[in-house]
Amino acid sequence: QVQLVESGGGSVQAGRSLRLSCVASGDTNSMYYMGWFRQAPGMEREGVAAVSIRSGKIYPNDSLKDRFTISQDNTKTMLYVQMNSLKPEDTAMYYCAAARTPLLSNYARLDPPNYTYWGQGTQVTVSS
């Protein structure tokens, strides 16, 4: 079992930055991938970026990679996303997630059903 807790969300004006944090605890050795996802009301959940725990390779959503960057600490129990130049359309609940199986395609690495463990989410609201 893995527990994930996000923090760092809030309300900001367009053009500002936020850094979200996720801490993982429990059976963290079972994690193959960690990722950030977001979901706006009435919209499907989408992947922001994912990282392979074992290789450290990052798999970004190409539509966001110029503004959003993920990183891990050396313990591989903390996951961050630096979000710059925020836009109103970035408004969503942001979730940290972990997968316990290998993910073998770029599509799978950003596909929410492949992730077993989820945090409670942290709200990001961007005003114009």
Side-chain angles (χ1 to χ4, degrees):
Q1 185 70 268
V2 173
Q3 295 80 44
L4 303 169
V5 179
E6 306 97 331
S7 62
S11 298
V12 298
Q13 291 189 324
R16 302 293 187 180
S17 298
L18 281 175
R19 185 173 184 256
L20 307 182
S21 300
C22 171
V23 59
S25 60
D27 187 17
T28 57
N29 288 330
S30 70
M31 301 188 302
Y32 280 78
Y33 286 81
M34 293 184 70
W36 282 99
F37 298 79
R38 68 182 187 179
Q39 187 169 23
M43 304 293 289
E44 292 187 346
R45 191 167 299 186
E46 67 172 348
V48 173
V51 59
S52 168
I53 302 300
R54 300 188 178 189
S55 73
K57 188 171 178 64
I58 293 171
Y59 301 91
N61 182 327
D62 286 340
S63 70
L64 300 174
K65 65 181 180 181
D66 59 330
R67 299 186 295 118
F68 291 11
T69 303
I70 65 167
S71 59
Q72 279 195 303
D73 72 342
N74 290 333
T75 70
K76 299 185 177 181
T77 58
M78 295 287 292
L79 182 69
Y80 307 94
V81 56
Q82 177 69 40
M83 307 188 297
N84 298 326
S85 302
L86 284 163
K87 304 174 181 180
E89 51 262 46
D90 296 320
T91 296
M93 186 73 74
Y94 284 73
Y95 297 93
C96 178
R100 63 183 183 184
T101 57
L103 302 176
L104 304 180
S105 71
N106 290 336
Y107 175 84
R109 291 161 187 146
L110 296 175
D111 193 23
N114 291 320
Y115 286 76
T116 301
Y117 307 108
W118 293 86
Q120 82 289 345
T122 185
Q123 178 68 38
V124 172
T125 302
V126 184
S127 60
S128 60

PDB file of all heavy atoms in Angstrom, residues 1 8 16 22 30 39 48 52 60-61 81 93 106 119 126:
ATOM      1  N   GLN A   1       0.839  -1.186   0.000  1.00  0.00           N
ATOM      2  CA  GLN A   1       0.000   0.000   0.000  1.00  0.00           C
ATOM      3  C   GLN A   1       0.879   1.243   0.000  1.00  0.00           C
ATOM      4  O   GLN A   1       1.918   1.264   0.652  1.00  0.00           O
ATOM      5  CB  GLN A   1      -0.936   0.002   1.216  1.00  0.00           C
ATOM      6  CG  GLN A   1      -1.926   1.149   1.238  1.00  0.00           C
ATOM      7  CD  GLN A   1      -2.970   0.981   0.157  1.00  0.00           C
ATOM      8  OE1 GLN A   1      -2.792   1.481  -0.946  1.00  0.00           O
ATOM      9  NE2 GLN A   1      -4.057   0.272   0.489  1.00  0.00           N
ATOM     10  N   GLY A   8       0.488  22.491  -2.001  1.00  0.00           N
ATOM     11  CA  GLY A   8       1.018  23.578  -2.793  1.00  0.00           C
ATOM     12  C   GLY A   8       0.030  24.270  -3.705  1.00  0.00           C
ATOM     13  O   GLY A   8       0.383  25.274  -4.345  1.00  0.00           O
ATOM     14  N   ARG A  16       1.507  33.773 -13.275  1.00  0.00           N
ATOM     15  CA  ARG A  16       2.263  33.423 -12.073  1.00  0.00           C
ATOM     16  C   ARG A  16       2.669  31.958 -12.088  1.00  0.00           C
ATOM     17  O   ARG A  16       2.301  31.205 -13.003  1.00  0.00           O
ATOM     18  CB  ARG A  16       1.441  33.736 -10.831  1.00  0.00           C
ATOM     19  CG  ARG A  16       1.011  35.187 -10.716  1.00  0.00           C
ATOM     20  CD  ARG A  16       2.192  36.101 -10.499  1.00  0.00           C
ATOM     21  NE  ARG A  16       1.760  37.468 -10.217  1.00  0.00           N
ATOM     22  CZ  ARG A  16       2.586  38.484  -9.984  1.00  0.00           C
ATOM     23  NH1 ARG A  16       3.890  38.292  -9.996  1.00  0.00           N
ATOM     24  NH2 ARG A  16       2.104  39.694  -9.751  1.00  0.00           N
ATOM     25  N   CYS A  22       4.336  16.361  -3.708  1.00  0.00           N
ATOM     26  CA  CYS A  22       3.683  15.112  -3.362  1.00  0.00           C
ATOM     27  C   CYS A  22       4.657  14.282  -2.547  1.00  0.00           C
ATOM     28  O   CYS A  22       5.806  14.093  -2.957  1.00  0.00           O
ATOM     29  CB  CYS A  22       3.262  14.358  -4.623  1.00  0.00           C
ATOM     30  SG  CYS A  22       2.676  12.669  -4.335  1.00  0.00           S
ATOM     31  N   SER A  30       7.250  -0.503  -4.206  1.00  0.00           N
ATOM     32  CA  SER A  30       6.377  -1.119  -5.187  1.00  0.00           C
ATOM     33  C   SER A  30       6.072  -0.207  -6.367  1.00  0.00           C
ATOM     34  O   SER A  30       5.451  -0.638  -7.334  1.00  0.00           O
ATOM     35  CB  SER A  30       5.056  -1.557  -4.538  1.00  0.00           C
ATOM     36  OG  SER A  30       4.275  -0.430  -4.172  1.00  0.00           O
ATOM     37  N   GLN A  39      -7.642  17.338 -13.404  1.00  0.00           N
ATOM     38  CA  GLN A  39      -9.006  17.166 -13.869  1.00  0.00           C
ATOM     39  C   GLN A  39      -9.819  18.410 -13.548  1.00  0.00           C
ATOM     40  O   GLN A  39      -9.941  18.794 -12.391  1.00  0.00           O
ATOM     41  CB  GLN A  39      -9.659  15.939 -13.229  1.00  0.00           C
ATOM     42  CG  GLN A  39     -11.022  15.608 -13.808  1.00  0.00           C
ATOM     43  CD  GLN A  39     -11.524  14.258 -13.351  1.00  0.00           C
ATOM     44  OE1 GLN A  39     -11.101  13.742 -12.317  1.00  0.00           O
ATOM     45  NE2 GLN A  39     -12.421  13.672 -14.126  1.00  0.00           N
ATOM     46  N   VAL A  48      -0.272  15.071 -16.730  1.00  0.00           N
ATOM     47  CA  VAL A  48       0.589  16.243 -16.845  1.00  0.00           C
ATOM     48  C   VAL A  48       2.007  15.816 -17.195  1.00  0.00           C
ATOM     49  O   VAL A  48       2.620  16.325 -18.132  1.00  0.00           O
ATOM     50  CB  VAL A  48       0.565  17.061 -15.548  1.00  0.00           C
ATOM     51  CG1 VAL A  48       1.595  18.194 -15.589  1.00  0.00           C
ATOM     52  CG2 VAL A  48      -0.830  17.615 -15.294  1.00  0.00           C
ATOM     53  N   SER A  52       9.663   7.599 -14.562  1.00  0.00           N
ATOM     54  CA  SER A  52      10.033   6.235 -14.210  1.00  0.00           C
ATOM     55  C   SER A  52      10.883   6.265 -12.951  1.00  0.00           C
ATOM     56  O   SER A  52      11.932   6.916 -12.911  1.00  0.00           O
ATOM     57  CB  SER A  52      10.808   5.581 -15.352  1.00  0.00           C
ATOM     58  OG  SER A  52      11.412   4.374 -14.931  1.00  0.00           O
ATOM     59  N   PRO A  60       6.726  13.771 -20.382  1.00  0.00           N
ATOM     60  CA  PRO A  60       5.807  14.896 -20.246  1.00  0.00           C
ATOM     61  C   PRO A  60       4.639  14.832 -21.226  1.00  0.00           C
ATOM     62  O   PRO A  60       4.724  14.195 -22.283  1.00  0.00           O
ATOM     63  CB  PRO A  60       6.693  16.098 -20.561  1.00  0.00           C
ATOM     64  CG  PRO A  60       7.646  15.570 -21.591  1.00  0.00           C
ATOM     65  CD  PRO A  60       7.902  14.130 -21.209  1.00  0.00           C
ATOM     66  N   ASN A  61       3.573  15.504 -20.864  1.00  0.00           N
ATOM     67  CA  ASN A  61       2.523  15.813 -21.805  1.00  0.00           C
ATOM     68  C   ASN A  61       3.070  16.889 -22.738  1.00  0.00           C
ATOM     69  O   ASN A  61       3.442  17.976 -22.281  1.00  0.00           O
ATOM     70  CB  ASN A  61       1.289  16.307 -21.056  1.00  0.00           C
ATOM     71  CG  ASN A  61       0.122  16.622 -21.956  1.00  0.00           C
ATOM     72  OD1 ASN A  61       0.277  17.059 -23.095  1.00  0.00           O
ATOM     73  ND2 ASN A  61      -1.089  16.410 -21.432  1.00  0.00           N
ATOM     74  N   VAL A  81       5.981  19.278  -9.180  1.00  0.00           N
ATOM     75  CA  VAL A  81       5.731  19.839 -10.489  1.00  0.00           C
ATOM     76  C   VAL A  81       5.833  21.355 -10.368  1.00  0.00           C
ATOM     77  O   VAL A  81       5.137  21.969  -9.564  1.00  0.00           O
ATOM     78  CB  VAL A  81       4.388  19.394 -11.095  1.00  0.00           C
ATOM     79  CG1 VAL A  81       3.208  19.721 -10.198  1.00  0.00           C
ATOM     80  CG2 VAL A  81       4.218  19.999 -12.484  1.00  0.00           C
ATOM     81  N   MET A  93      -8.247  20.336 -10.462  1.00  0.00           N
ATOM     82  CA  MET A  93      -7.727  19.604  -9.319  1.00  0.00           C
ATOM     83  C   MET A  93      -6.515  18.820  -9.810  1.00  0.00           C
ATOM     84  O   MET A  93      -6.606  18.106 -10.819  1.00  0.00           O
ATOM     85  CB  MET A  93      -8.781  18.671  -8.743  1.00  0.00           C
ATOM     86  CG  MET A  93      -8.359  17.980  -7.453  1.00  0.00           C
ATOM     87  SD  MET A  93      -8.337  19.105  -6.030  1.00  0.00           S
ATOM     88  CE  MET A  93     -10.100  19.294  -5.742  1.00  0.00           C
ATOM     89  N   ASN A 106       4.309   5.596 -24.172  1.00  0.00           N
ATOM     90  CA  ASN A 106       4.072   6.968 -23.736  1.00  0.00           C
ATOM     91  C   ASN A 106       2.611   7.196 -23.387  1.00  0.00           C
ATOM     92  O   ASN A 106       2.287   7.918 -22.439  1.00  0.00           O
ATOM     93  CB  ASN A 106       4.527   7.951 -24.814  1.00  0.00           C
ATOM     94  CG  ASN A 106       6.036   7.997 -24.952  1.00  0.00           C
ATOM     95  OD1 ASN A 106       6.766   7.680 -24.012  1.00  0.00           O
ATOM     96  ND2 ASN A 106       6.498   8.398 -26.125  1.00  0.00           N
ATOM     97  N   GLY A 119      -3.434  10.438  -4.580  1.00  0.00           N
ATOM     98  CA  GLY A 119      -3.610  11.366  -3.489  1.00  0.00           C
ATOM     99  C   GLY A 119      -4.994  11.975  -3.513  1.00  0.00           C
ATOM    100  O   GLY A 119      -5.825  11.683  -4.382  1.00  0.00           O
ATOM    101  N   VAL A 126      -6.612  29.520 -11.500  1.00  0.00           N
ATOM    102  CA  VAL A 126      -5.876  30.594 -12.162  1.00  0.00           C
ATOM    103  C   VAL A 126      -6.884  31.594 -12.714  1.00  0.00           C
ATOM    104  O   VAL A 126      -7.738  31.245 -13.530  1.00  0.00           O
ATOM    105  CB  VAL A 126      -4.980  30.064 -13.292  1.00  0.00           C
ATOM    106  CG1 VAL A 126      -4.155  31.204 -13.883  1.00  0.00           C
ATOM    107  CG2 VAL A 126      -4.076  28.955 -12.778  1.00  0.00           C
TER     108      VAL A 126
END
